[in-house]
């Protein structure tokens, strides 16, 4: 597919730029919503937003499932749109179609000690959780370097993510600082916030972790995750929501037992019941064991979740069975992403003395 180049979206220099993304691993769930997507929807009117589908990263562990990766990439966009990301405001784009990201990944890999990459706790955790053992591909640790390029290619100031991504952000900040120090003469003592002002190509970006960085699954134990079978999906029906919320494990025996409001169920109360007065009331009665059963709280939680999901179900319908419309949205978003990423790449190459002559790739 040719990539069309459109002008970057910057409408005013006062609109800070953010970038974030997801590896397409299946349809999105409430953990994605509270951990990151909700924040994106809030930010999109006041920020210049880039949302990346990390489809190349999906190959780190699923190279033999290219068909699935393609399907999941489309599906995730459908979920974004359902959740309220507006493609007229925000660029939704494919990592695989932005060549500047791949080029910057190679360059940034030179700035990171190998052992530093391997010490990234998110990678170690994934090796453990996914049972990768010693068998992971070279590309697996490389994806963490790639993620620094995803972010820096857009010179994003902020990156809304879940808590588990914070180590990747830390690495990104290191790459930005090092690049600016080595190639742009920025002092080692410079404050992060001053790097661009002092001539650095890259801002040192900040992680913006959602209020509930990590939503527990309906098993009441593990982080919500598709592979653990403890997830509530954005596309679940109202009935399924009631069924799944009913399963949230608390271990409490009776409505008169003083309950622990730190439990999994109350994480959901906090995350989804929007009336603070009602939340306070529920917590008060629950903690005192004032004749309030888990079953009752669960019904209120399920209703709150359904209130949240109902407009999403409606929006989803527009794109159901319409992959063509999704591809068009990706094509447009990717062309906007390329305009900016090519500009960043040119600046980075000039700084690294790689700017031999102006290059114009015919992207589209
Ligand atoms: N690693 C992220 C995840 O699995 C996805 C991702 C890729 C990302 N590139 C990014 C997130 C850049 C934020 C910024 O969810």
């Amino acid at each position: 597919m040719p990539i069309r180049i459109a002008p970057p979206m910057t409408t005013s220099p006062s609109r800070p730029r953010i970038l974030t993304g997801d590896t397409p691993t299946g349809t999105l769930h409430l953990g994605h919503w509270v951990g990151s997507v909700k924040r994106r929807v809030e930010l999109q009117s006041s920020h210049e937003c880039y949302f990346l589908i990390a489809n190349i990263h999906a190959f780190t562990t699923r190279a033999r499932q290219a068909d699935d990766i393609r399907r999941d990439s489309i599906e995730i966009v459908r979920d974004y749109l359902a959740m309220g990301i507006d493609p007229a405001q925000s660029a939704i784009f494919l990592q695989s179609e932005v060549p500047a990201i791949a080029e910057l990944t190679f360059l940034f890999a030179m700035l990171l000690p190998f052992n530093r990459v391997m010490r990234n706790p998110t990678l170690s955790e994934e090796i453990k959780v996914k049972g990768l053992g010693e068998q992971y591909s070279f590309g697996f640790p490389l994806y963490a370097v790639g993620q620094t390029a995803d972010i820096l290619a857009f010179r994003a100031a902020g990156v809304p993510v879940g808590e588990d991504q914070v180590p990747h952000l830390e690495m990104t900040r290191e790459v930005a600082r090092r690049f600016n120090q080595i190639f742009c003469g920025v002092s080692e003592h410079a404050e992060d916030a001053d790097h661009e002002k002092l001539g650095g190509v890259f801002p040192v970006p900040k992680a913006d972790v959602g209020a509930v960085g990590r939503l527990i699954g309906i098993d009441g134990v593990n982080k919500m995750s598709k592979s653990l079978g403890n997830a509530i999906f954005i596309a679940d029906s109202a009935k399924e929501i009631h069924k799944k919320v009913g399963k949230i494990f608390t271990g409490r025996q009776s409505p008169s037992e003083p309950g622990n409001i730190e439990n999994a169920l109350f994480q959901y109360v906090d995350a989804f019941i929007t009336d603070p007065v009602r939340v306070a009331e529920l917590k008060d009665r629950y903690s005192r064991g004032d004749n309030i059963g888990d079953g009752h709280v669960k019904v209120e939680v399920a209703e709150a979740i359904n209130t949240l999901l109902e407009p999403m179900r409606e929006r989803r319908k527009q794109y159901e069975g319409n992959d063509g419309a999704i591809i068009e949205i990706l094509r447009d978003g990717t062309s906007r992403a390329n305009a900016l990423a090519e500009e960043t790449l040119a600046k980075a190459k000039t700084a690294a003395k790689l700017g031999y002559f102006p290059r114009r790739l015919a992207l589209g």
Side-chain angles (χ1 to χ4, degrees):
M1 178 191 86
I3 305 165
R4 293 179 309 179
I5 290 278
M9 283 187 300
T10 323
T11 47
S12 107
S14 61
R15 234 168 133 217
R17 191 181 296 143
I18 58 168
L19 174 132
T20 190
D22 296 284
T23 308
T25 53
T27 53
L28 296 183
H29 52 63
L30 287 179
H32 294 110
W33 170 254
V34 300
S36 179
V37 183
K38 179 177 183 205
R39 184 96 184 108
R40 300 180 204 178
V41 172
E42 288 163 4
L43 291 172
Q44 66 180 345
S45 54
S46 53
H47 289 65
E48 186 187 329
C49 295
Y50 291 86
F51 300 129
L52 159 140
I53 310 298
N55 60 335
I56 291 291
H57 289 190
F59 281 76
T60 53
T61 55
R62 296 201 294 156
R64 285 178 182 75
Q65 288 129 36
D67 279 337
D68 292 353
I69 294 173
R70 190 187 174 90
R71 189 206 53 222
D72 288 347
S73 299
I74 304 270
E75 221 46 63
I76 206 168
V77 178
R78 223 187 306 272
D79 276 336
Y80 280 174
L81 298 166
M83 287 192 274
I85 289 180
D86 173 7
Q89 294 193 72
S90 305
I92 307 173
F93 68 98
L94 287 164
Q95 187 181 46
S96 59
E97 294 300 327
V98 180
I101 292 176
E103 293 184 54
L104 287 172
T105 300
F106 212 141
L107 188 55
F108 292 165
M110 312 303 176
L111 302 183
L112 283 163
F114 181 73
N115 291 331
R116 165 66 184 94
V117 177
M118 298 315 290
R119 272 201 318 272
N120 179 317
T122 299
L123 289 185
S124 323
E125 179 69 13
E126 276 178 285
I127 291 171
K128 211 163 67 198
V129 171
K130 297 183 181 165
L132 302 180
E134 303 272 284
Q135 294 308 310
Y136 53 80
S137 62
F138 189 87
F140 175 72
L142 185 64
Y143 101 72
V145 182
Q147 186 155 338
T148 73
D150 294 338
I151 297 164
L152 296 178
F154 295 86
R155 283 169 284 147
V159 187
V161 278
E163 208 173 62
D164 59 323
Q165 298 295 305
V166 170
H168 290 328
L169 255 294
E170 215 27 74
M171 238 171 67
T172 307
R173 292 159 60 78
E174 282 175 37
V175 170
R177 289 186 199 110
R178 205 158 297 145
F179 187 101
N180 293 341
Q181 287 160 5
I182 295 177
F183 299 123
C184 315
V186 173
S187 149
E188 275 188 36
H189 307 290
E191 298 288 333
D192 286 347
D194 295 338
H195 269 240
E196 271 183 302
K197 213 167 52 202
L198 295 169
V201 168
F202 298 106
V204 181
K206 288 206 174 89
D208 174 3
V209 179
V212 183
R214 177 191 158 105
L215 184 70
I216 208 157
I218 57 171
D219 57 5
V221 182
N222 296 300
K223 179 183 157 180
M224 186 175 282
S225 140
K226 180 187 164 175
S227 58
L228 294 174
N230 64 0
I232 296 178
F233 296 99
I234 301 303
D236 280 348
S237 69
K239 214 170 125 195
E240 275 167 313
I241 300 293
H242 276 277
K243 214 167 108 194
K244 286 187 177 177
V245 171
K247 287 189 189 150
I248 297 172
F249 183 75
T250 68
R252 184 166 173 257
Q253 304 292 340
S254 88
S256 55
E257 179 183 321
N260 176 6
I261 55 166
E262 307 279 301
N263 70 16
L265 181 57
F266 271 80
Q267 260 211 31
Y268 282 73
V269 169
D270 272 326
F272 301 109
I273 297 185
T274 49
D275 175 8
V277 177
R278 185 62 188 149
V279 171
E281 206 169 22
L282 285 172
K283 284 184 177 172
D284 175 55
R285 289 188 54 196
Y286 194 85
S287 57
R288 287 190 292 110
D290 179 17
N291 192 29
I292 181 155
D294 282 28
H296 177 84
V297 180
K298 286 175 180 177
V299 168
E300 282 195 42
V301 167
E303 281 167 3
I305 292 175
N306 276 325
T307 305
L308 169 73
L309 295 187
E310 197 41 46
M312 297 186 188
R313 291 187 189 111
E314 281 305 307
R315 270 194 299 266
R316 199 170 215 287
K317 273 191 209 141
Q318 280 176 259
Y319 298 101
E320 214 74 67
N322 191 356
D323 287 6
I326 305 277
I327 303 266
E328 267 317 300
I329 284 166
L330 280 170
R331 183 210 285 262
D332 179 60
T334 303
S335 110
R336 289 190 269 168
N338 268 308
L340 177 55
E342 281 293 307
E343 187 185 293
T344 305
L345 180 66
K347 285 180 194 286
K349 286 174 105 174
T350 300
K353 306 287 182 280
L354 291 165
Y356 290 96
F357 38 77
R359 167 182 106 172
R360 204 171 305 141
L361 277 187
L363 296 171

